Amino acid sequence: MAKKSTFDLSKVRNIGIIAHIDAGKTTVTERVLYYTGMVHRIGEVHDGAATTDYMEQERERGITITSAAVTTHWADHQINIIDTPGHVDFTAEVQRSLRVLDGGVAVFDSVAGVEPQSETVWRQASEYNVPRMCFINKMDRTGANFERTVSMIIDRLHGNPVPIQIPYGSGDDFNGIIDLMTMELVTYGDDLGTDIQRHPIPESHREAAETMRQEMVDKIIESDDVLTEKFLMEEEITDDDIVAALRAGTIAGKINPVLCGSALKNKGVQMLLDAIVAILPSPLDVPPIKGVDPRDVEVELIRHSNDEEPMSALVFKIITDQYGRLAFTRVYSGVLRSGTQVYNSSKGTRERIGRIVRMFADRREDIEEVHAGNIAAIIGLKETFTGDTLSAPDHPILLENIKFPEPVIEVAVEPDSKADQDKMGVALRKLAEEDPTFQVEVDASLGQTKIKGMGELHLEVIVDRLKREYGVQAQVGRPRVAYRETITRSHTADTTLKRQSGGSGMYARIVVDFSPMTDEDREAAKGESFMFSDSIRGGAITAEFVRAAERGMREAMEGGVIAGYPVVGVKATLVDGSMHDVDSNEMAFKIAGSMCFKDGVRGAGPAIMEPSMKVEVVAPDDYTGSIVGDLSSRRGIIEGMEPRGVGSTTIRAQVPLAEMFGYATNLRNMTQGRGSFTMEFDQYTIAPNSIAEEVISGQR
């Protein structure tokens, strides 16, 4: 048992900065590093000098591609910050970060409000029950609208925003922040935001501030049963009661405190840091982590955030750089020490912990141990990858893995030479280790390597890294859509495998009802695209033969019957069958399962499914008609239009991915470079017959 540590876990905050692309996450993180003394000069995203955007591709594009982990300190607290990407193609980076974080800061652009990727990351944070506060950024921009953004958090995100600050002016007139907790006006006496001055609220804004404070207090009281009772009993409610209830309500996910400022103009960031420390949870405030015993998955285990429990940790990210492989790890219980042996419960292997480092974006500092509740990186793990659990060898635990979305786009890559071919294999393996949404497939029949990802930008960055980091020269084919196959009606398949070739033969018969999965089935299958059940009674087929038949069906799913794409959305119920005392074996039932699946799908109205994207276009009003017409010509369904600031309109549509290749160039030409769009995967839908025929014939 680890001896008790003097490390104060209540003063640790593991937080993520999450938002839509261009809302200002990296700029906020950069200011946090400056004001906490981690950097002595502010780096700007637009200059390619932001600390957490350290990849060449990030600096050139001015976007965040990979989550960067930074450890810093504020007001006697340690803050582990992860600056996550906002672009939809890198949504897996957000997902794996949220899995290991205790709290989040959602950043919003006060002009644009709640944008599509904001909705995605908010939903992901809700799935992982991550408490979050909101920072409404860019209050200095023309068209900034604090109240509209707060309303959109309610309407679009179904959040419960509670402003604890309001802006003092907006746009060019943004001169400070009114703190509703202390009822003071905060202004800045210099451009660096270090000369903070507090004043009484001017009369011109006092009435509005008092109204907003009353609304804030009412919402906080509503979220807390003790304060509600005090209010009804007409007992005094102190400021300390309000702060405590605000923190409790935030941690419980009942309310989302809202702050404001302008990170670029250095206003509001120190107050955001104060709020992170005062309101967001420490590892002690969140529920203990649950897992199972890898030796018996029916046994549930719980680990609390303290140093005295057996060590348990989750690896949530792998990076390969010039120093080797780094495994970013969140320690949930116990102490992880360098030089010790740990058990990889996911793989059933032992690993030796070499060096442990605390990350500062791409710089690092060696440390000897990581305490419960902390995040660090391990150098030298050989068999451990994203989602793996590390635990004490004598107290193994298996934590829930991280689920990632399936890729929706693929391209073929051809190396220029034999030397490039050898290098490419190694490079692609390393890149796939880092990124679970990036997959590599070698088509043996064509001798072709295909790479799959979440979007054009995702694969563009991968190919760029192949060339720059690994020196691989390769030609890239035209992007192709990852189609799927499914069934549209029910069908019963009765399949018999009977082979006799001297000696013992092979015999298996199975009867299976195939039907399309319903929404309830998908929920019960927890996201799986195939649901198998055995309804045979009386032992007509033994349990091991049933399992073999299921394995055969699952393997047959990988290559469909009409165009060779994976089959999804199928429910299979084994209703009858028979076996032979001598000739039946597992292989026979596996082959029968595969044959039966293909027969069943052929008879159940097979159809091609295509990925449909949620598209949001923002452009000046003058171009709205052209954009709507163009989206309709791409088989798009217009779902809504709404004003966006002054003179701009947002158009929301559902469009098949196949029709969106090259859209960025098209939109630029149509709007003279003034339009922008975002796109994220929404769902697979059945393709029209004309498209399905092109897919089957190989024209698409």
Side-chain angles (χ1 to χ4, degrees):
M1 182 147 325
K3 71 179 196 305
K4 194 164 179 67
S5 166
T6 55
F7 187 81
D8 189 352
L9 201 50
S10 67
K11 293 194 171 179
V12 172
R13 301 288 180 271
N14 293 312
I15 64 157
I17 312 283
I18 59 173
H20 182 90
I21 189 169
D22 259 358
K25 297 176 303 303
T26 301
T27 306
V28 169
T29 307
E30 195 65 29
R31 270 39 179 194
V32 165
L33 297 181
Y34 177 72
Y35 294 125
T36 56
M38 296 300 281
V39 296
H40 302 294
R41 187 178 66 82
I42 296 174
E44 300 294 5
V45 175
H46 53 261
D47 294 335
T51 309
T52 53
D53 283 354
Y54 57 84
M55 288 169 63
E56 285 181 50
Q57 292 86 351
E58 294 177 310
R59 291 182 167 169
E60 285 173 7
R61 290 171 173 81
I63 63 169
T64 302
I65 291 170
T66 181
S67 305
V70 181
T71 298
T72 188
H73 293 83
W74 181 258
D76 200 26
H77 284 65
Q78 178 182 313
I79 306 177
N80 299 316
I81 302 174
I82 297 185
D83 171 28
T84 63
H87 196 286
V88 64
D89 284 15
F90 307 104
T91 188
E93 287 288 333
V94 186
Q95 205 155 325
R96 58 170 153 200
S97 301
L98 286 170
R99 170 72 170 79
V100 297
L101 292 170
D102 301 324
V105 177
V107 180
F108 299 96
D109 177 336
S110 62
V111 179
V114 174
E115 299 173 272
Q117 188 63 6
S118 310
E119 295 182 53
T120 304
V121 295
W122 190 274
R123 187 175 64 246
Q124 289 172 336
S126 296
E127 282 172 20
Y128 289 121
N129 298 316
V130 176
R132 67 218 84 127
M133 58 172 55
C134 307
F135 181 70
I136 298 180
N137 192 25
K138 304 192 180 184
M139 284 306 309
D140 59 305
R141 284 184 57 200
T142 305
N145 192 326
F146 180 82
E147 293 79 12
R148 175 174 168 270
T149 306
V150 171
S151 298
M152 289 176 84
I153 292 170
I154 299 169
D155 299 337
R156 282 203 176 187
L157 306 180
H158 309 297
N160 184 17
V162 178
I164 60 173
Q165 299 172 354
I166 55 174
Y168 182 56
S170 66
D172 291 338
D173 298 326
F174 176 59
N175 293 315
I177 297 160
I178 294 173
D179 186 342
L180 299 177
M181 302 299 284
T182 61
M183 288 303 278
E184 292 174 309
L185 167 64
V186 177
T187 60
Y188 296 83
D190 63 352
D191 289 342
L192 279 176
T194 51
D195 180 14
I196 300 173
Q197 300 167 358
R198 290 182 173 266
H199 321 267
I201 298 170
E203 283 304 315
S204 57
H205 285 69
R206 177 160 285 281
E207 189 179 335
E210 285 174 349
T211 303
M212 290 296 289
R213 176 176 167 88
Q214 194 53 53
E215 283 182 20
M216 174 192 82
V217 170
D218 290 347
K219 277 194 167 185
I220 293 170
I221 288 172
E222 276 173 30
S223 74
D224 191 278
D225 293 342
V226 175
L227 286 197
T228 303
E229 195 173 322
K230 269 192 172 186
F231 177 76
L232 294 172
M233 300 297 288
E234 297 184 359
E235 294 178 26
E236 185 194 357
I237 296 174
T238 66
D239 284 352
D240 287 346
D241 289 338
I242 294 294
V243 173
L246 173 65
R247 184 167 198 265
T250 304
I251 292 170
K254 294 178 184 175
I255 51 183
N256 310 111
V258 181
L259 300 89
C260 62
S262 166
L264 189 65
K265 294 292 167 65
N266 307 314
K267 292 176 179 170
V269 178
Q270 295 99 319
M271 295 171 79
L272 173 64
L273 279 164
D274 289 338
I276 287 169
V277 164
I279 299 170
L280 286 181
S282 76
L284 297 174
D285 297 312
V286 294
I289 193 79
K290 290 180 180 174
V292 295
D293 188 330
R295 297 161 297 193
D296 181 358
V297 293
E298 298 299 313
V299 178
E300 187 177 87
L301 301 172
I302 290 177
R303 295 279 191 270
H304 296 84
S305 273
N306 73 53
D307 291 352
E308 302 196 354
E309 293 217 355
M311 197 282 293
S312 66
L314 184 77
V315 174
F316 65 95
K317 182 178 169 66
I318 297 288
I319 286 183
T320 306
D321 62 12
Q322 68 267 37
Y323 304 107
R325 282 176 70 243
L326 274 168
F328 283 82
T329 307
R330 160 76 191 254
V331 178
Y332 283 99
S333 62
V335 181
L336 181 69
R337 292 187 172 86
S338 63
T340 58
Q341 270 213 343
V342 294
Y343 181 66
N344 181 329
S345 315
S346 309
K347 299 276 193 324
T349 57
R350 291 191 178 222
E351 289 266 30
R352 183 175 173 75
I353 302 297
R355 286 170 59 202
I356 305 177
V357 292
R358 181 161 288 143
M359 295 302 295
F360 175 64
D362 61 340
R363 300 210 311 270
R364 57 200 67 179
E365 166 202 344
D366 278 279
I367 53 175
E368 287 303 308
E369 56 188 26
V370 192
H371 294 267
N374 248 306
I375 291 172
I378 306 168
I379 299 174
L381 296 180
K382 292 182 172 59
E383 301 291 323
T384 301
F385 297 101
T386 299
D388 285 358
T389 303
L390 300 178
S391 58
D394 46 349
H395 292 91
I397 184 173
L398 182 62
L399 305 177
E400 186 187 345
N401 206 329
I402 309 170
K403 290 189 173 68
F404 295 105
E406 285 291 309
V408 294
I409 183 173
E410 64 179 46
V411 296
V413 286
E414 296 282 349
D416 286 357
S417 66
K418 178 74 175 71
D420 283 317
Q421 173 133 24
D422 297 340
K423 283 194 288 187
M424 189 173 83
V426 174
L428 289 176
R429 193 189 76 244
K430 287 183 177 176
L431 291 168
E433 284 175 3
E434 288 183 26
D435 184 351
T437 58
F438 169 61
Q439 293 178 6
V440 182
E441 184 183 289
V442 178
D443 189 327
S445 59
L446 296 174
Q448 189 180 62
T449 301
K450 288 187 280 193
I451 57 174
K452 303 179 181 184
M454 299 305 295
E456 285 184 275
L457 179 62
H458 187 196
L459 294 184
E460 186 188 309
V461 168
I462 292 280
V463 171
D464 200 30
R465 290 186 65 190
L466 265 183
K467 291 177 180 173
R468 289 195 198 186
E469 293 175 29
Y470 297 98
V472 176
Q473 296 306 311
Q475 302 303 312
V476 181
R478 191 171 62 89
R480 290 186 50 167
V481 175
Y483 291 102
R484 296 285 184 267
E485 296 181 22
T486 191
I487 58 175
T488 57
R489 60 174 183 260
S490 298
H491 179 72
T492 300
D494 185 339
T495 301
T496 303
L497 171 71
K498 200 171 185 179
R499 288 182 190 163
Q500 201 72 43
S501 55
S504 62
M506 288 183 104
Y507 178 84
R509 175 178 172 258
I510 53 173
V511 183
V512 181
D513 287 344
F514 292 95
S515 61
M517 283 174 76
T518 63
D519 290 341
E520 291 81 21
D521 292 335
R522 285 188 188 86
E523 206 168 300
K526 295 181 179 169
E528 276 216 50
S529 55
F530 177 65
M531 194 174 191
F532 177 84
S533 60
D534 171 19
S535 67
I536 293 182
R537 296 289 172 267
I541 303 175
T542 61
E544 67 265 29
F545 290 168
V546 170
R547 285 195 294 271
E550 182 187 353
R551 280 201 304 277
M553 289 186 210
R554 287 187 181 275
E555 283 183 17
M557 281 176 64
E558 297 304 312
V561 299
I562 51 177
Y565 288 103
V567 183
V568 296
V570 175
K571 182 179 180 180
T573 307
L574 183 62
V575 292
D576 197 7
S578 59
M579 56 187 182
H580 188 275
D581 290 344
V582 177
D583 293 346
S584 289
N585 54 44
E586 286 191 31
M587 181 55 73
F589 274 91
K590 187 178 172 187
I591 294 169
S594 178
M595 290 165 57
C596 186
F597 185 85
K598 289 184 175 174
D599 291 345
V601 170
R602 279 192 199 96
I608 294 289
M609 296 184 88
E610 61 180 350
S612 179
M613 312 302 282
K614 199 188 290 182
V615 177
E616 190 160 300
V617 184
V618 180
D621 296 341
D622 303 351
Y623 305 106
T624 305
S626 309
I627 291 166
V628 168
D630 182 65
L631 288 172
S632 299
S633 73
R634 294 170 184 268
R635 298 192 284 127
I637 298 165
I638 307 300
E639 294 189 325
M641 293 166 61
E642 57 196 51
R644 175 78 154 270
V646 180
S648 288
T649 298
T650 299
I651 302 155
R652 286 181 287 111
Q654 284 265 1
V655 191
L657 172 62
E659 308 297 335
M660 289 300 291
F661 292 142
Y663 184 67
T665 307
N666 209 55
L667 181 65
R668 225 174 7 249
N669 295 338
M670 230 186 324
T671 61
Q672 298 177 344
R674 295 166 66 194
S676 64
F677 82 103
T678 54
M679 175 172 81
E680 66 173 301
F681 171 72
D682 186 42
Q683 61 183 352
Y684 271 93
T685 56
I686 291 178
N689 286 338
S690 58
I691 302 297
E693 284 167 13
E694 289 181 17
V695 173
I696 293 165
S697 64
Q699 293 171 39
R700 277 183 176 258

